[in-house]
Amino acid sequence: MVSILTILMMQLCLQLISKSSQLNVRDNIRMHVVEARIQSILKDKTVYVDSDNQRLYYSAGNDSQGESDIKSFERTDQYLRQKDEHGGFEPVLNNVKRFNILKKSKSVQLTIVDSSNRVTEMFISDITFAEKKGDLVR
């Protein structure tokens, strides 16, 4: 009788462990996809980091009127979004509790804390920095 209970308990534990590892894998894959997307967006772009407001600005080329189009990554409410100067935005990641940008020599460290208090650090490398936001104009 005791051995049957032991076997059932072990089986339930294994099912629980299996389920929790699947959840972590899904979240890890999501963060890798977001990091790859941010890396591809910022590739060969000049970036300005506003440390006070925790925003990362970059020049996205020229808009339909031929003017320089400057976009940014910022955290609002519960998500990280990509925003342009004309008011349009695109959510990048939801359930974001905190978002921190740290400028390093030729890279940017993005630290994201989600609603589960899980901390993710992303390092975006090979970045060219502008001294001020006005330098992003082509």
Side-chain angles (χ1 to χ4, degrees), residues 66-126:
E67 296 180 19
S68 183
D69 190 20
I70 297 175
K71 295 189 177 186
S72 66
F73 285 102
E74 61 183 35
R75 180 188 122 6
T76 57
D77 300 327
Q78 289 286 319
Y79 55 93
L80 175 66
R81 71 181 182 175
Q82 181 182 6
K83 181 182 174 190
D84 66 24
E85 288 186 319
H86 308 293
F89 70 93
E90 177 183 353
V92 176
L93 191 62
N94 60 352
N95 298 326
V96 176
K97 191 176 185 180
R98 281 193 316 265
F99 176 64
N100 188 28
I101 303 170
L102 183 62
K103 179 179 167 182
K104 299 208 174 187
S105 61
K106 284 193 166 194
S107 64
V108 173
Q109 176 184 346
L110 306 177
T111 305
I112 299 170
V113 180
D114 66 10
S115 57
S116 303
N117 288 325
R118 189 175 20 246
V119 178
T120 302
E121 291 182 340
M122 299 178 186
F123 294 91
I124 312 300
S125 58
D126 298 326

Side-chain angles (χ1 to χ4, degrees), residues 10-29:
M10 289 177 62
Q11 183 180 17
L12 287 173
C13 287
L14 288 173
Q15 288 175 347
L16 183 62
I17 290 170
S18 171
K19 192 62 119 176
S20 69
S21 69
Q22 289 174 355
L23 292 175
N24 288 336
V25 167
R26 183 183 71 206
D27 290 339
N28 287 340
I29 289 172

